[in-house]
Amino acid sequence: MTTDSIILAGDYLLTMDAANSVVPDGAVLIEDGRIAAVGTLAALQTVHAAVPVKQVANSVLMPGLVNAHAHSGFLRGTAEHLPVWDWLTLHINPMHRVLQRHEAEAASWLCYAESVLGGTTTVVDMWRFMDGSAKAAEAIGNRLVAVPYVGEHPEYNYFDTLDMNEALIETWHRKAGGRVNVWVGLEHLFYADEAGQRRAIEIARKHGTGFHTHCSEAEIELAEFQTRYGKRPMFVLEDLGFFEAPRTMIAHGVWLDAAEIELIANHRVSVAHNPVSNMKLASGIALVGDMLAAGIPVGIGTDGEKENNNFDMFEEMKVASLLGKLKDLDAAAMDSWQVLRMATITGAKAIGLDDEIGSIEVGKRADIIAVRTDTPRMTPLFGEGPYFNLQHNLVHAVRGGDVSLTMVDGQILVEDGVLKTADIQEIIREIHRLAPGHFARRAAFLAENAGGTVQWTQKTQ
């Protein structure tokens, strides 16, 4: 459903503006995919009496969620109970060695469908053969920051290349009505030789795009950076010029210390926090509170289906809050408003799109979701008054399945919990058709290479 002008109304409107304003009986006037006015339904109807109203009963309207770091895929439930090192060498990199284009595209259809069904309107996806991912996003309707998994090193020549990355920028950047953006990606700094590292920076600067990579996810990285460069990771990235990109976003950042946090706070660097993945792979607990206090935009990411095992950003918010409390042994740490902002406006800032999305304010894109209020998880609900608990319920109780409507650029992608832009059952059937062949090829590779793939070591230099 697309209209040039419509008023979307709910029981409450959570704007995520600077004051975290909540409007009871709130509504949004949407014109040509953008937010034209915000207020009560009665006030908007008084001024815009001829505009049709879509009333979403029993709902909270809020900004669509921003998943700041994810990976498409279909390894869900098949790479379990392993530390990150074994997980990479025995499952993930062998998967990349045998991955085919049509499989990669099918995975993106699955993951983007799951995302919009759960209220996530923007996905930062680091994946392979991402022309297929862009096609999936164009059709499903989500907003996508496409970041190719790049390896520019002889030991990692089975990943995408920087040539492929630049071609994707030239073909898809700011396409699909501006919903698809393309960044430069490296799987990890060690997945590129010196020439590849330099060229990655050059491409990002040439095209004015962001740069995204994994770093400081596992403690083992610190010793390797010390051996190779004599410094901690963020200082190495600064020396090599990676902070000269228009924006650099670090995935995980679990092992940053105080000096590194101070360093990146002085650059255009953001961090994608992945609490579920960091717990599942036993990577550690990031100093998220310290980063936020330093002014670093920290978004929340699900990571991939294989290390999470879902794309539910509501679940991710709850875990981010609880993990922060546990880390500090402080029940007041990572409060609900702070976490909601990380999943919306701060996440949008982390990817450089806070002028366009992340809050319901005049002039921004109409990326809006409706969360049901008539569920046990939202009961009791106080959207105003002394017992106000809306933010707490959204962070600590709601799940993605409670989303009844998802809208991007004013287009309704999900209505009454049903995906409108694609056939979800056909997407699922396609994965079931493709997965056995993929797993068989991976098993054949592992049978011939009992130790899995080579992960970064000194010999890759």
Side-chain angles (χ1 to χ4, degrees):
M1 173 182 174
T2 304
T3 61
D4 293 333
S5 185
I6 190 173
I7 293 174
L8 184 67
D11 297 333
Y12 297 98
L13 174 64
L14 177 64
T15 66
M16 299 311 300
D17 62 9
N20 296 328
S21 301
V22 177
V23 183
D25 299 316
V28 185
L29 172 65
I30 299 164
E31 295 179 345
D32 298 322
R34 288 190 180 270
I35 297 166
V38 177
T40 65
L41 175 59
L44 293 189
Q45 282 187 300
T46 298
V47 180
H48 306 280
V51 176
V53 174
K54 182 171 182 59
Q55 179 86 46
V56 186
N58 303 311
S59 74
V60 174
L61 302 181
M62 63 178 289
L65 304 180
V66 177
N67 187 342
H69 180 71
H71 304 290
S72 290
F74 50 83
L75 301 188
R76 195 186 320 255
T78 67
E80 304 296 305
H81 306 309
L82 290 171
V84 66
W85 191 269
D86 294 338
W87 178 80
L88 283 168
T89 57
L90 295 174
H91 288 279
I92 307 311
N93 288 355
M95 175 272 292
H96 284 294
R97 278 195 173 274
V98 302
L99 184 67
Q100 298 179 354
R101 280 185 176 272
H102 64 287
E103 295 170 334
E105 180 173 339
S108 289
W109 279 85
L110 178 69
C111 295
Y112 303 163
E114 180 182 352
S115 295
V116 298
L117 283 165
T120 295
T121 52
T122 298
V123 180
V124 180
D125 188 14
M126 179 177 276
W127 189 226
R128 302 280 310 286
F129 307 119
M130 293 199 77
D131 50 338
S133 303
K135 292 174 186 175
E138 183 176 41
I140 290 174
N142 59 289
R143 199 172 301 281
L144 172 67
V145 178
V147 186
Y149 256 124
V150 170
E152 283 284 331
H153 193 287
E155 294 286 357
Y156 300 103
N157 59 5
Y158 50 92
F159 285 87
D160 284 18
T161 66
L162 285 172
D163 283 343
M164 295 168 67
N165 198 153
E166 186 164 31
L168 189 73
I169 293 171
E170 293 169 346
T171 304
W172 277 103
H173 188 46
R174 298 197 176 97
K175 297 297 174 62
R179 287 188 291 105
V180 174
N181 288 274
V182 184
W183 284 18
V184 176
L186 281 181
E187 203 289 346
H188 190 280
L189 180 68
F190 299 158
Y191 281 43
D193 56 21
E194 291 182 5
Q197 293 169 4
R198 288 194 300 271
R199 188 171 174 223
I201 300 164
E202 290 166 2
I203 293 173
R205 295 180 66 182
K206 172 184 174 182
H207 294 281
T209 73
F211 170 80
H212 188 39
T213 190
H214 300 91
C215 198
S216 298
E217 177 178 3
E219 188 176 19
I220 193 172
E221 296 174 57
L222 304 183
E224 190 70 16
F225 269 95
Q226 186 65 36
T227 298
R228 297 188 187 201
Y229 299 101
K231 294 183 178 181
R232 291 184 66 93
M234 294 303 106
F235 289 95
V236 173
L237 292 179
E238 181 191 37
D239 288 349
L240 294 175
F242 283 95
F243 298 163
E244 297 171 13
R247 171 162 299 283
T248 297
M249 185 164 69
I250 303 301
H252 299 286
V254 172
W255 290 93
L256 303 187
D257 69 4
E260 289 178 294
I261 290 171
E262 181 181 4
L263 172 71
I264 65 175
N266 292 317
H267 291 278
R268 292 186 301 274
V269 178
S270 55
V271 173
H273 176 45
N274 303 272
V276 171
S277 171
N278 294 343
M279 292 170 65
K280 181 180 177 184
L281 298 176
S283 299
I285 305 177
L287 300 176
V288 176
D290 294 353
M291 295 183 209
L292 291 169
I296 298 167
V298 181
I300 296 176
T302 59
D303 219 350
E305 37 65 62
K306 57 199 175 297
E307 57 266 58
N308 187 300
N309 298 29
N310 62 51
F311 284 77
D312 189 339
M313 280 287 291
F314 283 98
E315 179 180 87
E316 208 74 34
M317 281 194 282
K318 178 173 184 173
V319 175
S321 177
L322 300 185
L323 190 60
K325 298 175 190 303
L326 180 64
K327 176 200 154 296
D328 291 344
L329 297 180
D330 178 4
M334 296 297 289
D335 71 76
S336 299
W337 281 123
Q338 188 174 52
V339 173
L340 271 171
R341 294 188 71 81
M342 289 171 66
T344 55
I345 186 61
T346 305
K349 185 175 182 181
I351 60 175
L353 291 179
D354 50 312
D355 288 339
E356 291 285 306
I357 62 171
S359 61
I360 299 177
E361 298 182 89
V362 173
K364 290 195 173 185
R365 297 283 186 179
D367 291 11
I368 301 170
I369 65 174
V371 179
R372 291 176 57 192
T373 59
D374 59 344
T375 65
R377 281 185 287 274
M378 280 289 263
T379 304
L381 174 63
F382 298 100
E384 52 190 321
Y387 304 112
F388 182 89
N389 66 349
L390 177 58
Q391 80 279 31
H392 301 310
N393 283 356
L394 287 169
V395 170
H396 290 117
V398 165
R399 289 294 174 267
D402 298 329
V403 172
S404 62
L405 180 141
T406 299
M407 170 185 285
V408 174
D409 274 352
Q411 179 189 15
I412 294 176
L413 314 182
V414 173
E415 189 169 16
D416 298 325
V418 177
L419 181 64
K420 311 298 286 186
T421 52
D423 184 339
I424 187 62
Q425 292 305 317
E426 179 56 34
I427 290 170
I428 291 170
R429 282 193 294 270
E430 180 67 0
I431 295 297
H432 283 154
R433 185 182 72 83
L434 294 174
H438 175 88
F439 281 108
R441 294 195 310 277
R442 192 182 68 170
F445 171 82
L446 286 169
E448 296 177 5
N449 300 270
T453 59
V454 173
Q455 191 57 13
W456 44 262
T457 62
Q458 278 301 105
K459 76 174 189 176
T460 65
Q461 287 297 291

